[in-house]
């Protein structure tokens, strides 16, 4: 069967897979915004990770914990693991955006109504969450390890000198499987989270879609 008779050409396939110019701009803007917001909130994120690992109750409150981080590690202590977070957030946003659109096309709309049923949107979101999380999981794992090292919770040794050194060290000492420790549990949490997130967004967007003749339509339609 020729491509002419089916109407399917390589350019059509690539057009369905690749984002258009507007989508690409949104992905870039989303990636930059994610990096900026992650960096600004990095001190709180670092404290959260330390508190989760604090079985000895070393950090009793946010203020005293911040002071302790400053005293023991200096300014850099507030941003341990933030580089990996920023490197992770841009591709994660891009993959989520592309994957959700891709999976929605695979599940397709109902032929009678032209609408995508809620269960299909949920399935698309779940697949999207698992795809994006799997793709960037090594970066997420090394971010966590970079965040806790040097805090005294796992010793004062700074074992990983950066993102790539950390990844190489994990592969050398634990094998490739070491990059995916905790991956199964992460998928169990991220799949329903992304599914509900995207489905709720889609439903609300349809429910509150503004009239094109309304003032500030472009702003409301973001």
């Amino acid at each position: 069967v020729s491509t002419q008779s089916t109407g399917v050409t390589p350019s059509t396939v690539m057009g369905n897979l690749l984002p258009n110019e507007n989508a690409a701009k949104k992905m870039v803007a989303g990636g930059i915004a994610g990096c900026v917001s992650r960096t600004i909130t990095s001190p709180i994120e670092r404290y959260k990770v330390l508190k989760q690992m604090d079985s000895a109750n070393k950090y009793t409150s946010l203020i005293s914990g911040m002071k302790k981080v400053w005293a023991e590690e200096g300014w850099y202590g507030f941003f341990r693991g933030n580089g990996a977070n920023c490197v992770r957030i841009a591709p994660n946003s891009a993959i989520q955006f592309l994957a959700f659109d891709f999976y929605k096309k695979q599940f397709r709309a109902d032929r009678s109504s032209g609408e995508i049923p809620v269960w299909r949107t949920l399935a698309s979101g779940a697949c999207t969450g698992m795809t994006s999380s799997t793709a960037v999981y090594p970066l997420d794992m090394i971010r966590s390890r970079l965040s806790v090292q040097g805090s005294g919770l796992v010793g004062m040794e700074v074992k990983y000198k950066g993102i790539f050194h950390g990844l190489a060290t994990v592969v050398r000492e634990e094998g490739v499987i070491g990059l995916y420790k905790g991956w199964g549990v992460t998928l169990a949490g991220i799949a329903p989270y992304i599914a509900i997130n995207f489905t709720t967004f889609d439903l609300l967007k349809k429910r509150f879609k503004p009239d094109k003749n309304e003032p500030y339509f472009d702003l409301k339609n973001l």
Side-chain angles (χ1 to χ4, degrees):
V1 179
S2 67
T3 56
Q4 290 182 345
S5 60
T6 61
V8 178
T9 64
S11 60
T12 303
V13 174
M14 292 305 293
N16 287 332
L17 291 176
L18 295 176
N20 57 36
E21 184 180 352
N22 188 45
K25 287 179 180 178
K26 287 183 178 180
M27 286 191 298
V28 172
I32 294 173
C35 290
V36 172
S37 62
R38 287 289 183 177
T39 300
I40 292 173
T41 59
S42 180
I44 296 175
E45 177 71 16
R46 174 88 201 288
Y47 176 77
K48 183 200 77 173
V49 174
L50 294 176
K51 188 64 179 174
Q52 289 173 337
M53 299 283 293
D54 187 18
S55 58
N57 203 29
K58 179 180 177 181
Y59 303 97
T60 55
S61 69
L62 177 61
I63 302 301
S64 64
M66 290 292 193
K67 289 180 179 178
K68 193 175 288 291
V69 170
W70 173 264
E72 294 179 353
E73 305 175 58
W75 180 253
Y76 179 71
F78 293 121
F79 296 93
R80 282 192 189 276
N82 186 59
N85 226 353
C86 289
V87 170
R88 174 183 73 92
I89 199 70
N92 186 59
S93 299
I95 292 168
Q96 279 192 6
F97 194 100
L98 291 172
F100 185 61
D101 190 51
F102 172 78
Y103 286 122
K104 277 179 69 175
K105 289 177 181 177
Q106 304 315 303
F107 284 105
R108 300 182 182 179
D110 185 90
R111 291 186 178 181
S112 58
S113 66
E115 296 288 329
I116 298 178
V118 173
W119 73 266
R120 291 183 183 178
T121 307
L122 283 168
S124 300
C127 291
T128 297
M130 291 188 286
T131 300
S132 61
S133 182
T134 300
V136 301
Y137 189 80
L139 290 171
D140 194 32
M141 180 277 302
I142 202 63
R143 173 192 64 92
S144 298
R145 296 197 182 189
L146 287 168
S147 293
V148 298
Q149 70 174 1
S151 63
L153 297 178
V154 290
M156 294 302 294
E157 177 192 4
V158 177
K159 183 177 182 179
Y160 307 113
K161 298 176 183 178
I163 301 168
F164 298 109
H165 177 263
L167 292 172
T169 302
V170 170
V171 172
R172 185 174 64 252
E173 295 181 354
E174 306 171 43
V176 176
I177 196 171
L179 297 175
Y180 287 89
K181 281 189 174 178
W183 171 72
V185 178
T186 299
L187 289 191
I190 202 69
Y193 164 72
I194 296 295
I196 294 169
N197 188 6
F198 276 115
T199 302
T200 303
F201 176 79
D202 258 17
L203 291 173
L204 291 176
K205 189 174 181 180
K206 291 173 184 176
R207 173 68 181 81
F208 297 107
K209 192 171 184 179
D211 190 325
K212 289 185 178 181
N213 296 320
E214 245 186 283
Y216 310 113
F217 168 76
D218 290 336
L219 184 62
K220 292 181 180 179
N221 199 43
L222 289 175

